[in-house]
Structure formats: structure tokens, C-alpha cells
Amino acid sequence: MCEDTMKLSRFALPLVAAGVIFTAGCSHPNYYAPPPPPPPPQSVPPLIQQANRDGFRAGHDDGARDAYNRFGYHPRHDRKYHDCPGYNPALGPFGPYRDAFRNAYLRGYYQGFYNQR
């Protein structure tokens, strides 16, 4: 019986391997779900809009002035960066205004200093 089992196993393994090889490409194509829809557009509060507008304008003006007068690139040394002018308490708290103003100021200063539009 041992010889019969060896003969059978000698032929069974290549048959199983051939079956796996021939049927591997016969599977169904993969289904890819469509991506989720984009998030709805976010509206920016008026307080942040004002801070972005005022901060960018002030930073751009100060950056251009410092570049023209060759004072060097020092955006955090200007008074406007620290004082954050233009705050209107009717629009909301000072903290978010200050943060948005300073971020916009730095962007504007960079563009003004390096004469970018």
C-alpha cells in the first residue's frame, strides 16, 4: 500500500498545483467603492475674515517697508504684530482674532518683504 500511496501522491500534487494556477485568474474583478462626497464648504466667521484681511494688509505693508529700508526680516518685532489693531468686540472674542491676525500678518509680511503678490 505504501507504493500505491506514493504513486498517487506523486501525481496528485502536480494536479492540485496546476488546478490552483489555472483557476487563480478566474476570480471576479475587484469592486472599488466610489470615494465619499467632499465635505460641505466651510463658512468663515466675520471675526476671522476681518482678522485675515487686516493682518495680511498690515503685514504686507510692514514687510515691504522693512525690505525697502533694509531693516531685515523681523515680522515678530513690529508693533502691529503684537497689538493686533482693528479688533471689533461686537464680532467675538479677542483670542481667535489675535491668532488669525498674527497668522495673516506673517503671510503678508513674507509676501511684502520678498515682493510677491
Side-chain angles (χ1 to χ4, degrees):
M1 276 204 143
C2 191
E3 278 182 38
D4 291 336
T5 307
M6 286 183 65
K7 286 182 186 177
L8 184 60
S9 67
R10 201 178 301 155
F11 293 110
L13 185 59
L15 288 176
V16 170
V20 169
I21 290 172
F22 288 122
T23 60
C26 298
S27 64
H28 295 288
N30 292 336
Y31 172 74
Y32 296 103
Q42 300 291 325
S43 63
V44 178
L47 175 76
I48 303 303
Q49 287 177 355
Q50 180 180 351
N52 285 333
R53 184 177 52 250
D54 295 346
F56 187 85
R57 185 180 310 122
H60 191 276
D61 293 346
D62 290 350
R65 180 203 64 215
D66 289 353
Y68 180 77
N69 293 328
R70 297 188 178 140
F71 288 149
Y73 187 85
H74 304 289
R76 289 188 170 94
H77 294 272
D78 288 318
R79 178 168 296 286
K80 290 178 192 169
Y81 177 82
H82 293 285
D83 292 346
C84 304
Y87 170 65
N88 182 357
L91 295 176
F94 181 69
Y97 177 85
R98 178 194 62 224
D99 296 342
F101 182 94
R102 287 180 177 173
N103 287 333
Y105 183 90
L106 293 175
R107 286 192 315 271
Y109 190 95
Y110 178 85
Q111 288 189 7
F113 190 84
Y114 291 111
N115 198 21
Q116 298 178 354
R117 294 182 188 244

